[in-house]
PDB file of all heavy atoms in Angstrom:
ATOM      1  N   LEU A  89      27.189 -47.308 149.389  1.00  0.00           N
ATOM      2  CA  LEU A  89      25.854 -47.318 148.795  1.00  0.00           C
ATOM      3  C   LEU A  89      25.984 -46.921 147.339  1.00  0.00           C
ATOM      4  O   LEU A  89      27.051 -46.479 146.905  1.00  0.00           O
ATOM      5  CB  LEU A  89      24.964 -46.323 149.546  1.00  0.00           C
ATOM      6  CG  LEU A  89      24.639 -46.707 150.991  1.00  0.00           C
ATOM      7  CD1 LEU A  89      24.045 -45.526 151.734  1.00  0.00           C
ATOM      8  CD2 LEU A  89      23.694 -47.887 151.017  1.00  0.00           C
ATOM      9  N   PRO A  90      24.899 -47.005 146.585  1.00  0.00           N
ATOM     10  CA  PRO A  90      24.978 -46.503 145.207  1.00  0.00           C
ATOM     11  C   PRO A  90      25.352 -45.017 145.214  1.00  0.00           C
ATOM     12  O   PRO A  90      25.013 -44.294 146.151  1.00  0.00           O
ATOM     13  CB  PRO A  90      23.556 -46.698 144.683  1.00  0.00           C
ATOM     14  CG  PRO A  90      22.957 -47.746 145.544  1.00  0.00           C
ATOM     15  CD  PRO A  90      23.584 -47.571 146.887  1.00  0.00           C
ATOM     16  N   PRO A  91      26.055 -44.558 144.203  1.00  0.00           N
ATOM     17  CA  PRO A  91      26.397 -43.135 144.138  1.00  0.00           C
ATOM     18  C   PRO A  91      25.130 -42.278 144.130  1.00  0.00           C
ATOM     19  O   PRO A  91      24.092 -42.681 143.602  1.00  0.00           O
ATOM     20  CB  PRO A  91      27.141 -42.991 142.815  1.00  0.00           C
ATOM     21  CG  PRO A  91      27.450 -44.357 142.362  1.00  0.00           C
ATOM     22  CD  PRO A  91      26.531 -45.296 143.052  1.00  0.00           C
ATOM     23  N   LEU A  92      25.225 -41.094 144.743  1.00  0.00           N
ATOM     24  CA  LEU A  92      24.107 -40.156 144.702  1.00  0.00           C
ATOM     25  C   LEU A  92      24.072 -39.553 143.308  1.00  0.00           C
ATOM     26  O   LEU A  92      25.079 -39.075 142.807  1.00  0.00           O
ATOM     27  CB  LEU A  92      24.295 -39.055 145.746  1.00  0.00           C
ATOM     28  CG  LEU A  92      24.566 -39.502 147.186  1.00  0.00           C
ATOM     29  CD1 LEU A  92      24.605 -38.294 148.111  1.00  0.00           C
ATOM     30  CD2 LEU A  92      23.559 -40.520 147.655  1.00  0.00           C
ATOM     31  N   GLU A  93      22.919 -39.617 142.691  1.00  0.00           N
ATOM     32  CA  GLU A  93      22.758 -39.084 141.338  1.00  0.00           C
ATOM     33  C   GLU A  93      21.496 -38.243 141.275  1.00  0.00           C
ATOM     34  O   GLU A  93      20.554 -38.449 142.045  1.00  0.00           O
ATOM     35  CB  GLU A  93      22.660 -40.223 140.314  1.00  0.00           C
ATOM     36  CG  GLU A  93      23.921 -41.035 140.186  1.00  0.00           C
ATOM     37  CD  GLU A  93      23.778 -42.191 139.212  1.00  0.00           C
ATOM     38  OE1 GLU A  93      22.661 -42.412 138.681  1.00  0.00           O
ATOM     39  OE2 GLU A  93      24.787 -42.889 138.982  1.00  0.00           O
ATOM     40  N   THR A  94      21.477 -37.328 140.337  1.00  0.00           N
ATOM     41  CA  THR A  94      20.299 -36.502 140.123  1.00  0.00           C
ATOM     42  C   THR A  94      19.078 -37.393 139.946  1.00  0.00           C
ATOM     43  O   THR A  94      19.116 -38.357 139.182  1.00  0.00           O
ATOM     44  CB  THR A  94      20.500 -35.609 138.881  1.00  0.00           C
ATOM     45  OG1 THR A  94      21.639 -34.777 139.109  1.00  0.00           O
ATOM     46  CG2 THR A  94      19.292 -34.736 138.616  1.00  0.00           C
ATOM     47  N   GLY A  95      18.025 -37.095 140.688  1.00  0.00           N
ATOM     48  CA  GLY A  95      16.775 -37.829 140.572  1.00  0.00           C
ATOM     49  C   GLY A  95      16.640 -39.013 141.505  1.00  0.00           C
ATOM     50  O   GLY A  95      15.539 -39.519 141.709  1.00  0.00           O
ATOM     51  N   ARG A  96      17.740 -39.470 142.097  1.00  0.00           N
ATOM     52  CA  ARG A  96      17.671 -40.615 143.021  1.00  0.00           C
ATOM     53  C   ARG A  96      17.154 -40.183 144.377  1.00  0.00           C
ATOM     54  O   ARG A  96      17.547 -39.154 144.915  1.00  0.00           O
ATOM     55  CB  ARG A  96      19.054 -41.216 143.226  1.00  0.00           C
ATOM     56  CG  ARG A  96      19.332 -42.313 142.293  1.00  0.00           C
ATOM     57  CD  ARG A  96      20.532 -43.129 142.698  1.00  0.00           C
ATOM     58  NE  ARG A  96      20.706 -44.121 141.652  1.00  0.00           N
ATOM     59  CZ  ARG A  96      21.796 -44.771 141.410  1.00  0.00           C
ATOM     60  NH1 ARG A  96      22.852 -44.572 142.166  1.00  0.00           N
ATOM     61  NH2 ARG A  96      21.851 -45.634 140.440  1.00  0.00           N
ATOM     62  N   LEU A  97      16.304 -41.009 144.952  1.00  0.00           N
ATOM     63  CA  LEU A  97      15.778 -40.755 146.293  1.00  0.00           C
ATOM     64  C   LEU A  97      16.812 -41.163 147.336  1.00  0.00           C
ATOM     65  O   LEU A  97      17.411 -42.231 147.238  1.00  0.00           O
ATOM     66  CB  LEU A  97      14.490 -41.545 146.505  1.00  0.00           C
ATOM     67  CG  LEU A  97      13.835 -41.401 147.878  1.00  0.00           C
ATOM     68  CD1 LEU A  97      13.375 -39.966 148.122  1.00  0.00           C
ATOM     69  CD2 LEU A  97      12.666 -42.369 148.007  1.00  0.00           C
ATOM     70  N   ILE A  98      17.017 -40.298 148.335  1.00  0.00           N
ATOM     71  CA  ILE A  98      17.913 -40.566 149.455  1.00  0.00           C
ATOM     72  C   ILE A  98      17.091 -40.365 150.721  1.00  0.00           C
ATOM     73  O   ILE A  98      16.491 -39.302 150.910  1.00  0.00           O
ATOM     74  CB  ILE A  98      19.115 -39.600 149.465  1.00  0.00           C
ATOM     75  CG1 ILE A  98      19.831 -39.632 148.124  1.00  0.00           C
ATOM     76  CG2 ILE A  98      20.060 -39.925 150.611  1.00  0.00           C
ATOM     77  CD1 ILE A  98      20.454 -38.328 147.742  1.00  0.00           C
ATOM     78  N   VAL A  99      17.052 -41.375 151.570  1.00  0.00           N
ATOM     79  CA  VAL A  99      16.310 -41.290 152.832  1.00  0.00           C
ATOM     80  C   VAL A  99      17.309 -41.400 153.975  1.00  0.00           C
ATOM     81  O   VAL A  99      18.168 -42.293 153.975  1.00  0.00           O
ATOM     82  CB  VAL A  99      15.245 -42.401 152.941  1.00  0.00           C
ATOM     83  CG1 VAL A  99      14.528 -42.327 154.275  1.00  0.00           C
ATOM     84  CG2 VAL A  99      14.255 -42.298 151.787  1.00  0.00           C
ATOM     85  N   VAL A 100      17.206 -40.486 154.927  1.00  0.00           N
ATOM     86  CA  VAL A 100      18.092 -40.466 156.090  1.00  0.00           C
ATOM     87  C   VAL A 100      17.230 -40.633 157.335  1.00  0.00           C
ATOM     88  O   VAL A 100      16.278 -39.875 157.530  1.00  0.00           O
ATOM     89  CB  VAL A 100      18.875 -39.131 156.180  1.00  0.00           C
ATOM     90  CG1 VAL A 100      19.806 -39.132 157.383  1.00  0.00           C
ATOM     91  CG2 VAL A 100      19.633 -38.859 154.894  1.00  0.00           C
ATOM     92  N   THR A 101      17.550 -41.620 158.165  1.00  0.00           N
ATOM     93  CA  THR A 101      16.858 -41.827 159.430  1.00  0.00           C
ATOM     94  C   THR A 101      17.882 -41.716 160.549  1.00  0.00           C
ATOM     95  O   THR A 101      18.942 -42.352 160.485  1.00  0.00           O
ATOM     96  CB  THR A 101      16.172 -43.211 159.477  1.00  0.00           C
ATOM     97  OG1 THR A 101      15.311 -43.331 158.349  1.00  0.00           O
ATOM     98  CG2 THR A 101      15.362 -43.376 160.754  1.00  0.00           C
ATOM     99  N   VAL A 102      17.564 -40.899 161.554  1.00  0.00           N
ATOM    100  CA  VAL A 102      18.458 -40.663 162.682  1.00  0.00           C
ATOM    101  C   VAL A 102      17.741 -41.067 163.959  1.00  0.00           C
ATOM    102  O   VAL A 102      16.604 -40.662 164.182  1.00  0.00           O
ATOM    103  CB  VAL A 102      18.836 -39.163 162.766  1.00  0.00           C
ATOM    104  CG1 VAL A 102      19.717 -38.898 163.969  1.00  0.00           C
ATOM    105  CG2 VAL A 102      19.515 -38.713 161.501  1.00  0.00           C
ATOM    106  N   ASN A 103      18.412 -41.862 164.799  1.00  0.00           N
ATOM    107  CA  ASN A 103      17.872 -42.217 166.105  1.00  0.00           C
ATOM    108  C   ASN A 103      18.818 -41.654 167.160  1.00  0.00           C
ATOM    109  O   ASN A 103      19.947 -42.137 167.309  1.00  0.00           O
ATOM    110  CB  ASN A 103      17.729 -43.729 166.253  1.00  0.00           C
ATOM    111  CG  ASN A 103      17.024 -44.108 167.535  1.00  0.00           C
ATOM    112  OD1 ASN A 103      17.411 -43.702 168.621  1.00  0.00           O
ATOM    113  ND2 ASN A 103      15.964 -44.894 167.401  1.00  0.00           N
ATOM    114  N   LEU A 104      18.370 -40.614 167.864  1.00  0.00           N
ATOM    115  CA  LEU A 104      19.233 -39.927 168.818  1.00  0.00           C
ATOM    116  C   LEU A 104      19.383 -40.682 170.136  1.00  0.00           C
ATOM    117  O   LEU A 104      20.376 -40.484 170.837  1.00  0.00           O
ATOM    118  CB  LEU A 104      18.714 -38.509 169.069  1.00  0.00           C
ATOM    119  CG  LEU A 104      18.815 -37.608 167.841  1.00  0.00           C
ATOM    120  CD1 LEU A 104      18.048 -36.313 168.046  1.00  0.00           C
ATOM    121  CD2 LEU A 104      20.265 -37.324 167.498  1.00  0.00           C
ATOM    122  N   GLU A 105      18.428 -41.534 170.494  1.00  0.00           N
ATOM    123  CA  GLU A 105      18.558 -42.313 171.718  1.00  0.00           C
ATOM    124  C   GLU A 105      19.547 -43.465 171.531  1.00  0.00           C
ATOM    125  O   GLU A 105      20.421 -43.691 172.361  1.00  0.00           O
ATOM    126  CB  GLU A 105      17.202 -42.884 172.174  1.00  0.00           C
ATOM    127  CG  GLU A 105      16.425 -41.953 173.086  1.00  0.00           C
ATOM    128  CD  GLU A 105      15.806 -40.793 172.312  1.00  0.00           C
ATOM    129  OE1 GLU A 105      15.477 -40.975 171.135  1.00  0.00           O
ATOM    130  OE2 GLU A 105      15.663 -39.722 172.898  1.00  0.00           O
ATOM    131  N   GLU A 106      19.377 -44.197 170.451  1.00  0.00           N
ATOM    132  CA  GLU A 106      20.265 -45.336 170.178  1.00  0.00           C
ATOM    133  C   GLU A 106      21.524 -44.910 169.433  1.00  0.00           C
ATOM    134  O   GLU A 106      22.419 -45.720 169.201  1.00  0.00           O
ATOM    135  CB  GLU A 106      19.500 -46.404 169.406  1.00  0.00           C
ATOM    136  CG  GLU A 106      18.349 -46.978 170.211  1.00  0.00           C
ATOM    137  CD  GLU A 106      17.540 -48.008 169.432  1.00  0.00           C
ATOM    138  OE1 GLU A 106      18.030 -48.527 168.402  1.00  0.00           O
ATOM    139  OE2 GLU A 106      16.403 -48.284 169.856  1.00  0.00           O
ATOM    140  N   GLN A 107      21.588 -43.667 169.024  1.00  0.00           N
ATOM    141  CA  GLN A 107      22.751 -43.022 168.398  1.00  0.00           C
ATOM    142  C   GLN A 107      23.230 -43.728 167.129  1.00  0.00           C
ATOM    143  O   GLN A 107      24.403 -44.066 166.973  1.00  0.00           O
ATOM    144  CB  GLN A 107      23.880 -42.875 169.414  1.00  0.00           C
ATOM    145  CG  GLN A 107      23.468 -42.012 170.583  1.00  0.00           C
ATOM    146  CD  GLN A 107      24.615 -41.647 171.481  1.00  0.00           C
ATOM    147  OE1 GLN A 107      25.767 -41.927 171.205  1.00  0.00           O
ATOM    148  NE2 GLN A 107      24.304 -40.981 172.575  1.00  0.00           N
ATOM    149  N   TRP A 108      22.287 -43.925 166.199  1.00  0.00           N
ATOM    150  CA  TRP A 108      22.651 -44.443 164.891  1.00  0.00           C
ATOM    151  C   TRP A 108      22.005 -43.595 163.803  1.00  0.00           C
ATOM    152  O   TRP A 108      21.071 -42.853 164.036  1.00  0.00           O
ATOM    153  CB  TRP A 108      22.285 -45.912 164.711  1.00  0.00           C
ATOM    154  CG  TRP A 108      20.864 -46.312 164.985  1.00  0.00           C
ATOM    155  CD1 TRP A 108      20.394 -46.914 166.113  1.00  0.00           C
ATOM    156  CD2 TRP A 108      19.722 -46.149 164.119  1.00  0.00           C
ATOM    157  NE1 TRP A 108      19.032 -47.132 166.006  1.00  0.00           N
ATOM    158  CE2 TRP A 108      18.601 -46.672 164.789  1.00  0.00           C
ATOM    159  CE3 TRP A 108      19.537 -45.617 162.843  1.00  0.00           C
ATOM    160  CZ2 TRP A 108      17.318 -46.686 164.235  1.00  0.00           C
ATOM    161  CZ3 TRP A 108      18.269 -45.619 162.297  1.00  0.00           C
ATOM    162  CH2 TRP A 108      17.174 -46.154 162.982  1.00  0.00           C
ATOM    163  N   ILE A 109      22.562 -43.720 162.615  1.00  0.00           N
ATOM    164  CA  ILE A 109      22.027 -43.056 161.438  1.00  0.00           C
ATOM    165  C   ILE A 109      21.978 -44.085 160.319  1.00  0.00           C
ATOM    166  O   ILE A 109      22.882 -44.917 160.193  1.00  0.00           O
ATOM    167  CB  ILE A 109      22.883 -41.818 161.039  1.00  0.00           C
ATOM    168  CG1 ILE A 109      22.233 -41.045 159.891  1.00  0.00           C
ATOM    169  CG2 ILE A 109      24.315 -42.212 160.722  1.00  0.00           C
ATOM    170  CD1 ILE A 109      22.821 -39.653 159.681  1.00  0.00           C
ATOM    171  N   GLU A 110      20.902 -44.054 159.553  1.00  0.00           N
ATOM    172  CA  GLU A 110      20.757 -44.987 158.436  1.00  0.00           C
ATOM    173  C   GLU A 110      20.496 -44.196 157.161  1.00  0.00           C
ATOM    174  O   GLU A 110      19.705 -43.251 157.163  1.00  0.00           O
ATOM    175  CB  GLU A 110      19.601 -45.951 158.688  1.00  0.00           C
ATOM    176  CG  GLU A 110      19.453 -46.982 157.583  1.00  0.00           C
ATOM    177  CD  GLU A 110      18.358 -47.982 157.889  1.00  0.00           C
ATOM    178  OE1 GLU A 110      17.180 -47.566 157.938  1.00  0.00           O
ATOM    179  OE2 GLU A 110      18.687 -49.158 158.093  1.00  0.00           O
ATOM    180  N   PHE A 111      21.184 -44.589 156.107  1.00  0.00           N
ATOM    181  CA  PHE A 111      21.000 -43.981 154.802  1.00  0.00           C
ATOM    182  C   PHE A 111      20.422 -45.031 153.865  1.00  0.00           C
ATOM    183  O   PHE A 111      20.898 -46.166 153.821  1.00  0.00           O
ATOM    184  CB  PHE A 111      22.335 -43.487 154.239  1.00  0.00           C
ATOM    185  CG  PHE A 111      22.976 -42.413 155.059  1.00  0.00           C
ATOM    186  CD1 PHE A 111      23.912 -42.729 156.025  1.00  0.00           C
ATOM    187  CD2 PHE A 111      22.630 -41.091 154.876  1.00  0.00           C
ATOM    188  CE1 PHE A 111      24.509 -41.744 156.788  1.00  0.00           C
ATOM    189  CE2 PHE A 111      23.219 -40.093 155.638  1.00  0.00           C
ATOM    190  CZ  PHE A 111      24.160 -40.423 156.593  1.00  0.00           C
ATOM    191  N   GLU A 112      19.408 -44.649 153.107  1.00  0.00           N
ATOM    192  CA  GLU A 112      18.839 -45.508 152.076  1.00  0.00           C
ATOM    193  C   GLU A 112      18.950 -44.743 150.760  1.00  0.00           C
ATOM    194  O   GLU A 112      18.549 -43.577 150.694  1.00  0.00           O
ATOM    195  CB  GLU A 112      17.376 -45.816 152.355  1.00  0.00           C
ATOM    196  CG  GLU A 112      17.130 -46.537 153.660  1.00  0.00           C
ATOM    197  CD  GLU A 112      15.660 -46.631 153.971  1.00  0.00           C
ATOM    198  OE1 GLU A 112      14.971 -47.478 153.363  1.00  0.00           O
ATOM    199  OE2 GLU A 112      15.200 -45.830 154.807  1.00  0.00           O
ATOM    200  N   VAL A 113      19.479 -45.395 149.747  1.00  0.00           N
ATOM    201  CA  VAL A 113      19.660 -44.750 148.444  1.00  0.00           C
ATOM    202  C   VAL A 113      19.004 -45.612 147.381  1.00  0.00           C
ATOM    203  O   VAL A 113      19.224 -46.825 147.325  1.00  0.00           O
ATOM    204  CB  VAL A 113      21.152 -44.539 148.116  1.00  0.00           C
ATOM    205  CG1 VAL A 113      21.325 -43.899 146.742  1.00  0.00           C
ATOM    206  CG2 VAL A 113      21.824 -43.683 149.190  1.00  0.00           C
ATOM    207  N   GLU A 114      18.221 -44.968 146.537  1.00  0.00           N
ATOM    208  CA  GLU A 114      17.580 -45.653 145.422  1.00  0.00           C
ATOM    209  C   GLU A 114      18.672 -46.181 144.497  1.00  0.00           C
ATOM    210  O   GLU A 114      19.585 -45.448 144.118  1.00  0.00           O
ATOM    211  CB  GLU A 114      16.680 -44.656 144.690  1.00  0.00           C
ATOM    212  CG  GLU A 114      15.674 -45.255 143.776  1.00  0.00           C
ATOM    213  CD  GLU A 114      14.699 -44.211 143.279  1.00  0.00           C
ATOM    214  OE1 GLU A 114      15.098 -43.052 143.053  1.00  0.00           O
ATOM    215  OE2 GLU A 114      13.527 -44.565 143.104  1.00  0.00           O
ATOM    216  N   SER A 115      18.585 -47.478 144.163  1.00  0.00           N
ATOM    217  CA  SER A 115      19.647 -48.073 143.362  1.00  0.00           C
ATOM    218  C   SER A 115      19.223 -48.401 141.941  1.00  0.00           C
ATOM    219  O   SER A 115      19.965 -49.003 141.204  1.00  0.00           O
ATOM    220  CB  SER A 115      20.166 -49.340 144.051  1.00  0.00           C
ATOM    221  OG  SER A 115      19.138 -50.282 144.192  1.00  0.00           O
ATOM    222  N   GLY A 116      18.043 -48.019 141.568  1.00  0.00           N
ATOM    223  CA  GLY A 116      17.552 -48.318 140.225  1.00  0.00           C
ATOM    224  C   GLY A 116      16.323 -49.189 140.300  1.00  0.00           C
ATOM    225  O   GLY A 116      16.175 -50.015 141.192  1.00  0.00           O
ATOM    226  N   PHE A 117      15.411 -48.991 139.384  1.00  0.00           N
ATOM    227  CA  PHE A 117      14.160 -49.740 139.306  1.00  0.00           C
ATOM    228  C   PHE A 117      13.348 -49.645 140.600  1.00  0.00           C
ATOM    229  O   PHE A 117      12.602 -50.551 140.942  1.00  0.00           O
ATOM    230  CB  PHE A 117      14.406 -51.209 138.934  1.00  0.00           C
ATOM    231  CG  PHE A 117      15.220 -51.381 137.700  1.00  0.00           C
ATOM    232  CD1 PHE A 117      16.516 -51.853 137.763  1.00  0.00           C
ATOM    233  CD2 PHE A 117      14.698 -51.041 136.457  1.00  0.00           C
ATOM    234  CE1 PHE A 117      17.278 -51.994 136.614  1.00  0.00           C
ATOM    235  CE2 PHE A 117      15.446 -51.188 135.310  1.00  0.00           C
ATOM    236  CZ  PHE A 117      16.736 -51.663 135.382  1.00  0.00           C
ATOM    237  N   GLY A 118      13.552 -48.556 141.359  1.00  0.00           N
ATOM    238  CA  GLY A 118      12.770 -48.320 142.570  1.00  0.00           C
ATOM    239  C   GLY A 118      13.241 -49.061 143.795  1.00  0.00           C
ATOM    240  O   GLY A 118      12.684 -48.885 144.865  1.00  0.00           O
ATOM    241  N   SER A 119      14.268 -49.905 143.685  1.00  0.00           N
ATOM    242  CA  SER A 119      14.756 -50.616 144.869  1.00  0.00           C
ATOM    243  C   SER A 119      15.685 -49.704 145.670  1.00  0.00           C
ATOM    244  O   SER A 119      16.302 -48.788 145.126  1.00  0.00           O
ATOM    245  CB  SER A 119      15.478 -51.902 144.473  1.00  0.00           C
ATOM    246  OG  SER A 119      16.627 -51.603 143.716  1.00  0.00           O
TER     247      SER A 119
END
Side-chain angles (χ1 to χ4, degrees):
L89 292 167
L92 307 185
E93 294 177 356
T94 300
R96 267 194 183 160
L97 179 64
I98 306 148
V99 178
V100 181
T101 305
V102 178
N103 187 306
L104 293 169
E105 271 75 30
E106 297 178 17
Q107 299 190 6
W108 53 259
I109 186 166
E110 183 176 66
F111 297 94
E112 299 172 77
V113 179
E114 196 171 36
S115 60
F117 307 109
S119 64

